[in-house]
């Protein structure tokens, strides 16, 4: 029987050719704690929909550790659906990149710890994209709506990434309330709705969009950076690419939380602490290729793979960070209106 259950997203853990998960296996060897690792999250809203009734009652959701995206994590924290972390059990918290401190909903990270930073941009099948368009790689969001790609383009059901990237392409600063107004948001949603109605989009879905790449149903998509690396690993090739569009990309982070009903909080804290060891963080990042929030991981990466230590998608330089924006926080009523407009789009696919 497992000592803790972890709910996570697909393509988010190191894995060898035999299907083993080396860093998780080493955690078990070092601590004796067995982890039941479950790929349960496809997108934030659908996952929350599955567990919110139990959370509201303070019941066990069947997970001791889970990793929703920061905006959803803030909802769990504000609703009292998580347990306060015991910093004494997480000494490696000292390695947290200071840029992840100061969020209004958990300024000192008493209730949450970042797992990975996520860049949203354009993922594409290199060969198929060139064959269809004659171009080596997409450069802009507009390139996704090239007639040559009609019906072969995916988009994420994650509102802040898909609408966020379209807003950026329309010159809207998504981190600035005076720029990202309700009018601007609704105009971007209308644009996506039109693309959908015109047959430009194959699908709007959660992380299962990766299946549409695997099945060659799509050529390009609004996608998450590390997923393309994971798909390349599966395909044992460099079949897929990822680009930050010329208008910029979204950045967010998926976040460790211990749900309110878990009885294994100390074991979950041991796992968080383990992944905040720079050696383990670097090994994980070498596989998932997402932005690591752990200071010291870059130095460790130099010994694992010097080329990856220079990878801007794992260790963004100041220049790359300047191209990344976080979708600004939404207040209650505003969040409801934006989410309702977006839900209607998803339902229309």
């Amino acid at each position: 029987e497992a000592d803790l259950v972890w709910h996570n997203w697909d393509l988010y853990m190191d894995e060898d050719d035999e299907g083993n998960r080396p860093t998780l296996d080493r955690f078990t060897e070092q601590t004796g704690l067995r982890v039941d690792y479950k790929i349960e999250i496809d997108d934030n809203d659908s996952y929350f929909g599955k567990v919110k009734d139990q959370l509201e009652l303070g019941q066990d959701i069947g997970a001791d550790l889970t990793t929703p995206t920061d905006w959803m994590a803030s909802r769990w924290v504000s609703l009292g659906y998580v347990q306060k972390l015991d910093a004494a059990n997480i000494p490696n918290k000292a390695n947290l990149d200071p840029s992840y401190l100061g969020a209004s909903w958990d300024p000192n990270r008493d209730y949450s710890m970042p797992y990975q930073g996520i860049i949203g941009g354009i993922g594409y099948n290199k060969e198929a994209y060139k064959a269809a368009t004659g171009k080596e790689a997409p450069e802009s969001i507009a390139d996704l709506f090239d007639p040559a790609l009609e019906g072969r383009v995916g988009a994420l059901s994650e509102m802040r990434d898909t609408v966020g990237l379209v807003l950026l392409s329309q010159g809207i600063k998504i981190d600035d309330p005076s720029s990202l107004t309700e009018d601007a948001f609704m105009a971007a949603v209308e644009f996506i709705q039109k693309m959908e109605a015109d047959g430009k989009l194959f699908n709007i879905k959660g992380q299962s969009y990766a299946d549409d790449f695997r099945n060659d149903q799509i050529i390009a998509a609004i996608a998450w950076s590390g997923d393309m690396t994971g798909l390349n690993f599966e395909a044992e090739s460099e079949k897929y690419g990822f680009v930050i569009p010329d208008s910029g990309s979204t950045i967010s982070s998926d976040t460790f939380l211990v749900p309110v009903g878990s009885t294994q909080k100390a074991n979950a804290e041991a796992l968080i602490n383990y992944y905040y060891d720079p050696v383990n963080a670097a090994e994980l990042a070498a596989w998932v290729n997402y932005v690591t929030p752990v200071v010291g991981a870059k130095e460790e990466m130099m010994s694992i793979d010097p080329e990856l230590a220079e990878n801007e998608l794992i260790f963004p330089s100041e220049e790359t960070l300047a191209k990344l924006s976080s979708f600004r926080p939404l207040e209650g009523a505003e969040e409801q209106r934006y989410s309702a407009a977006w839900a209607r789009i998803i339902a229309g696919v």
Side-chain angles (χ1 to χ4, degrees):
E1 193 177 315
D3 298 294
L4 74 148
V5 180
W6 179 3
H7 285 182
N8 207 357
W9 305 71
D10 193 14
L11 299 168
Y12 227 11
M13 181 54 57
D14 51 312
E15 204 169 300
D16 64 18
D17 292 336
E18 282 76 55
N20 302 310
R21 298 186 170 111
T23 60
L24 267 184
D25 293 345
R26 193 165 68 240
F27 171 75
T28 299
E29 284 163 23
Q30 288 179 6
T31 63
L33 298 172
R34 292 152 304 176
V35 183
D36 184 1
Y37 180 82
K38 293 185 169 183
I39 297 166
E40 289 285 334
I41 312 176
D42 183 52
D43 83 1
N44 284 290
D45 287 317
S46 60
Y47 179 69
F48 185 63
K50 281 192 289 191
V51 298
K52 70 177 190 320
D53 291 349
Q54 290 157 287
L55 290 169
E56 203 172 328
L57 294 169
Q59 293 174 349
D60 182 3
I61 63 167
D64 304 295
L65 197 59
T66 185
T67 43
T69 309
D70 44 18
W71 65 269
M72 177 59 84
S74 77
R75 185 186 297 178
W76 287 47
V77 170
S78 65
L79 289 169
Y81 291 170
V82 301
Q83 299 185 46
K84 188 172 185 178
L85 301 173
D86 183 348
N89 289 339
I90 313 174
N92 288 334
K93 183 178 178 178
N95 300 325
L96 172 64
D97 184 321
S99 68
Y100 290 91
L101 292 168
S104 59
W105 53 276
D106 191 12
N108 303 313
R109 294 290 176 176
D110 294 323
Y111 297 90
S112 65
M113 289 285 283
Y115 174 57
Q116 301 286 306
I118 320 138
I119 298 173
I122 300 174
Y124 64 104
N125 177 321
K126 294 176 185 175
E127 200 177 301
Y129 184 81
K130 188 174 183 181
T133 66
K135 290 170 61 176
E136 286 296 328
E139 295 170 10
S140 66
I141 294 298
D143 285 346
L144 287 175
F145 303 111
D146 183 325
L149 298 177
E150 192 155 320
R152 306 288 302 280
V153 175
L156 289 165
S157 55
E158 197 61 41
M159 178 182 86
R160 286 158 179 77
D161 290 302
T162 294
V163 184
L165 285 158
V166 169
L167 283 162
L168 287 168
S169 75
Q170 295 173 341
I172 303 296
K173 293 184 171 70
I174 61 171
D175 51 5
D176 177 358
S178 65
S179 181
L180 173 42
T181 60
E182 188 153 344
D183 286 348
F185 179 86
M186 294 305 173
V189 167
E190 269 177 44
F191 171 80
I192 296 164
Q193 191 168 25
K194 184 173 185 331
M195 293 302 101
E196 183 186 290
D198 290 350
K200 300 278 189 191
L201 293 174
F202 174 71
N203 219 324
I204 301 177
K205 64 198 316 191
Q207 202 184 10
S208 51
Y209 80 95
D211 290 335
D212 299 336
F213 272 123
R214 291 180 179 111
N215 302 330
D216 292 323
Q217 289 174 293
I218 57 174
I219 291 172
I222 287 176
W224 289 313
S225 52
D227 287 350
M228 298 301 111
T229 305
L231 287 168
N232 280 335
F233 178 81
E234 287 179 6
E236 297 182 353
S237 72
E238 290 298 311
K239 183 175 178 178
Y240 302 101
F242 178 85
V243 294
I244 291 174
D246 54 13
S247 50
S249 271
T250 55
I251 185 161
S252 54
S253 61
D254 288 334
T255 306
F256 283 125
L257 301 174
V258 178
V260 67
S262 164
T263 57
Q264 306 293 346
K265 183 167 82 85
N267 294 347
E269 290 162 340
L271 189 67
I272 296 170
N273 190 61
Y274 173 83
Y275 279 108
Y276 266 77
D277 179 317
V279 173
N280 302 328
E283 191 174 332
L284 177 64
W287 196 87
V288 300
N289 276 233
Y290 281 104
V291 181
T292 176
V294 179
V295 172
K298 183 169 185 174
E299 290 69 22
E300 293 296 338
M301 189 71 91
M302 291 299 289
S303 58
I304 298 175
D305 185 336
E307 199 177 315
L308 279 181
E310 301 305 318
N311 186 324
E312 293 279 339
L313 300 178
I314 307 175
F315 305 104
S317 63
E318 290 300 318
E319 191 183 349
T320 297
L321 284 170
K323 298 175 186 171
L324 308 177
S325 308
S326 296
F327 200 101
R328 70 171 177 81
L330 299 175
E331 300 308 320
E334 188 182 43
E335 164 97 42
Q336 286 175 338
R337 290 194 301 275
Y338 285 27
S339 297
W342 182 236
R344 287 194 293 274
I345 300 289
I346 297 172
V349 174

